[in-house]
Amino acid sequence: MTTWNLTETKHHVLICNGSSCMRKGGEEATQAIREEITNLDLDASIHTTRTRCNGRCKDACVMVVYPEGVWYKAATPEIAKKIVHDHLVGGNVVEDSVIYTYDKGHFSAPENSESITGIAKPQKSNV
């Protein structure tokens, strides 16, 4: 297993490779974002991780960009490349693909989001 030195890393991109995302282009989106990062010589500043499930299967394929905490529905290689150029390089969120953004201590969906709200996570009982 490789242990990367992340001291030059500015962004960490979590790319869902769960079954729903893989059926909807997850592998192609993963390869596109990684190829674009390599083509732009940004491997030292952008780290990618394949995840098993990001919990937003209806929005497949899902990518999460940190440290900003922006959740994207990135179903195509073209959208994945746009996220690299516009967000990771240019600092501009790709608004039409956003599921959630992080602000003031929590995630929120854009007002014009077409993504479903989803179900609430169960609350832990203090009993």
Side-chain angles (χ1 to χ4, degrees):
M1 299 294 297
T2 303
T3 302
W4 298 108
N5 177 345
L6 300 175
T7 58
E8 301 297 319
T9 303
K10 296 178 182 173
H11 296 283
H12 186 188
V13 183
L14 305 171
I15 310 164
C16 187
N17 279 195
S19 59
S20 293
C21 287
M22 293 305 277
R23 281 192 302 275
K24 293 185 177 180
E27 180 62 27
E28 294 81 1
T30 299
Q31 292 307 315
I33 197 167
R34 287 181 167 177
E35 286 171 11
E36 204 63 20
I37 289 166
T38 299
N39 291 342
L40 296 172
D41 197 27
L42 296 172
D43 290 303
S45 63
I46 302 171
H47 182 70
T48 62
T49 301
R50 290 177 186 254
T51 64
R52 189 68 186 137
C53 180
N54 288 343
R56 293 291 303 180
C57 299
K58 294 283 184 183
D59 293 315
C61 133
V62 175
M63 298 167 56
V64 187
V65 176
Y66 281 100
E68 298 89 334
V70 177
W71 288 60
Y72 285 110
K73 52 185 174 185
T76 67
E78 293 75 26
I79 292 171
K81 289 179 183 179
K82 183 172 178 62
I83 291 168
V84 171
H85 286 272
D86 292 4
H87 185 150
L88 302 177
V89 175
N92 300 308
V93 173
V94 181
E95 298 291 342
D96 57 342
S97 293
V98 170
I99 303 168
Y100 287 104
T101 57
Y102 189 80
D103 186 37
K104 299 179 184 167
H106 64 85
F107 289 98
S108 60
E111 287 183 23
N112 62 346
S113 177
E114 294 178 13
S115 295
I116 64 167
T117 301
I119 59 172
K121 287 189 165 193
Q123 298 297 315
K124 182 180 176 184
S125 174
N126 291 332
V127 179

